[in-house]
Amino acid sequence: MSTRPGYRAPAVTVSAALPKRRSSAVLIVGVCADGGSPAVVGTPFLDAEAVGEIDVALRALGAKGGPEALTRLTVPSLPVASVLAVGLGPAREEWSPEAIRRAAGAAARSLSGVESVITTLSELHLEAAIEGLILGGYQIHEFRSAKTAPTEPALSRITALSTAARAKPLAARAAAVASAVATARDLVNTPPSHLHPDEFSKRAKALGTAAGLQVEVLDEKALAKAGYGGIIGVGKGSSNPPRLVRLTYRGGKAGKGGKARKVALVGKGITFDTGGISIKPAASMHHMTSDMAGAAAVIAAVVLAAEQRLPIDVIATVPMAENMPSATAQRPGDVLTQYGGTTVEVLNTDAEGRLILADAIVRACQDSPDYLIETSTLTGAQTVALGSRIPGVMGSDEFRDRVAALSQREGENGWPMPLPEELKDDLKSTVADLANISSQRFAGMLVAGVFLREFVADGVQWAHIDVAGPAYNTTAPWGYTPKGGTGVPTRTLFAVLEDIAENG
């Protein structure tokens, strides 16, 4: 999917048997903790001799088979260079796709210098195993010099062993989804020195054009003329002017009602967020390179929808700005006029994401979508409420719950959150229609959701996914999640689009 240097996903093939000739590949197998001793999880691809050799070696090495535990073995009877046993935890009849995804990711992260792998995890869940291997092997080296760039080969070939029906198309879909997540990661991990709004819009346009999308880019003059006061206001303090990108995929087919389903996607694209005049603490400001993660996921998702030819219309509206303090920056106390006419008193310039999203939501609703999904690194309050791995999902009750359920199915773990009506009173302004923050300290994520709800057109089912913590991993890698950009919630967005395409 990527049109620039970045992570090149491995090629994926499916086979119903191990190779007959000896290979330099590493064979990845799943093992469970069976009564304290590790045991190979049932697979039709290994004979009794090979299973016995692996079990004996695991016991000799004191392996436990716990989740994501790794043990490298030599098994002479198998036609591979070595075997990597990855733990799945206690024995059970069936493991969840997320358990397989994480195990595959942990295995891929450990295989430095290995070009080819064969895996039996794909017999347990084909798509999860492929996604985990591709995403676990993710790396970005675009900004390294020869001094620190890896010299060892990267994982370039995955052979998934599977007896599943339709294994090849399922594997191709999994590889496409993982590649889309990698594209979102590439964008998030690109430093703000190299991804200001204009450059971001160019990359979005290149990705959209390559996928056959209609692309429209509004520069700062067009934004000002059309009245996008939120985007212009946030971008006023930067020497890098703002942009608005529209990516349109027309794949809809008229259903029983004679009308194709239409979905609007909106993603926050703050390429760097200092907080503006309400400046952030310096200690963690460098993490704000990720403040465009919502936009990255939306761009990746609409391109993926086009590549997978989903039978719906998808229109992505992506506002892009850099929030900087300067003599021209908006001030706390300023009043701006959002696209569509609502006036907002800016009490805190660090609550800027909702300002650019409000403009984009109003514009997206002019397309009369059936559904609107928007996502952003919206509030630090999301991490206070749900931690660093669980997105908060707000919006129309029924659609919110649908999006959260699909997010949980995909392993991105979105959790439904309420939008209490009484919080709207906290957004009253003495001089404008709304204030951009509450005077209270509590329920910051919910207050932001209530603010955004004011800009959603009547009759549009909508959901907001707050990924402030989940979009960027500031700690050590785990499972298939690296340090840095995670690509969340790309898989959730695509799962929702697929679900709408299938079920309306």
Side-chain angles (χ1 to χ4, degrees), residues 84-456:
L84 178 63
V86 57
L88 295 172
R92 60 187 66 187
E93 291 185 7
E94 184 177 352
W95 279 269
S96 70
E98 182 65 2
I100 302 303
R101 200 177 284 115
R102 290 188 184 186
R109 286 193 295 107
S110 74
L111 292 175
S112 177
V114 173
E115 293 184 82
S116 178
V117 299
I118 304 168
T119 184
T120 66
L121 291 173
S122 43
E123 182 69 4
L124 301 176
H125 196 288
L126 177 62
E127 291 175 277
I130 291 171
E131 288 175 7
L133 286 169
I134 292 175
L135 295 177
Y138 174 86
Q139 300 177 30
I140 182 168
H141 305 306
E142 183 180 350
F143 304 99
R144 292 189 178 277
S145 70
K147 294 180 180 179
T148 61
T151 56
E152 296 181 318
L155 179 61
S156 60
R157 294 187 300 278
I158 295 170
T159 301
L161 299 177
S162 177
T163 58
R166 299 185 64 251
K168 290 185 178 179
L170 288 173
R173 177 198 175 278
V177 169
S179 294
V181 176
T183 293
R185 288 180 178 181
D186 283 344
L187 290 168
V188 173
N189 289 329
T190 300
S193 54
H194 292 68
L195 197 76
H196 47 75
D198 183 55
E199 175 62 20
F200 194 11
S201 70
K202 289 176 180 176
R203 295 197 187 193
K205 181 177 181 179
L207 287 164
T209 300
L213 304 179
Q214 299 173 25
V215 182
E216 177 187 18
V217 180
L218 301 184
D219 63 14
E220 68 275 24
K221 293 181 181 178
L223 289 168
K225 183 177 180 180
Y228 287 91
I231 302 173
I232 290 293
V234 172
K236 281 172 59 177
S238 175
S239 59
N240 295 309
R243 296 287 184 268
L244 179 72
V245 177
R246 299 253 300 161
L247 302 170
T248 301
Y249 164 62
R250 302 287 185 188
K253 297 178 181 179
K256 294 180 180 179
K259 176 186 173 185
R261 288 292 182 184
K262 185 184 297 182
V263 183
L265 299 180
V266 174
K268 173 185 171 185
I270 298 294
T271 57
F272 193 75
D273 182 19
T274 66
I277 298 297
S278 308
I279 200 161
K280 292 179 179 290
S284 60
M285 195 188 292
H286 59 288
H287 295 155
M288 290 300 101
T289 183
S290 68
D291 215 21
M292 37 59 67
V298 161
I299 292 165
V302 68
V303 170
L304 181 58
E307 291 175 345
Q308 295 296 298
R309 299 182 180 179
L310 296 189
I312 55 175
D313 292 343
V314 184
I315 305 175
T317 303
V318 188
M320 302 172 176
E322 188 176 54
N323 190 23
M324 300 289 283
S326 73
T328 59
Q330 66 178 354
R331 296 149 294 216
D334 280 0
V335 172
L336 54 78
T337 302
Q338 302 278 171
Y339 184 74
T342 299
T343 60
V344 173
E345 183 182 11
V346 182
L347 296 179
N348 187 324
T349 64
D350 193 24
E352 86 298 329
R354 65 199 69 180
L355 301 177
I356 69 168
L357 287 171
D359 277 359
I361 289 169
V362 174
R363 176 62 187 91
C365 286
Q366 290 178 340
D367 297 316
S368 300
D370 299 291
Y371 300 94
L372 187 151
I373 316 166
E374 34 105 5
T375 184
S376 71
T377 48
L378 187 64
T379 64
Q382 176 271 319
T383 61
V384 174
L386 296 172
S388 62
R389 298 188 185 182
I390 301 176
V393 185
M394 300 171 282
S396 310
D397 290 353
E398 183 179 347
F399 190 50
R400 172 203 63 197
D401 292 348
R402 181 179 179 183
V403 170
L406 288 165
S407 180
Q408 291 167 26
R409 187 196 74 184
E410 293 300 309
E412 291 189 334
N413 302 319
W415 196 258
M417 301 295 289
L419 291 178
E421 194 61 37
E422 65 271 16
L423 294 180
K424 184 178 176 181
D425 289 341
D426 293 334
L427 292 171
K428 289 182 177 179
S429 166
T430 58
V431 296
D433 298 332
L434 290 170
N436 76 325
I437 61 167
S438 166
S439 60
Q440 307 292 331
R441 295 181 59 222
F442 51 79
M445 175 171 55
L446 310 186
V447 169
V450 170
F451 178 91
L452 293 174
R453 183 177 62 186
E454 292 299 301
F455 298 89
V456 179

Side-chain angles (χ1 to χ4, degrees), residues 60-73:
L61 292 170
K64 301 298 182 184
E68 302 178 32
L70 301 168
T71 310
R72 193 83 168 263
L73 309 167

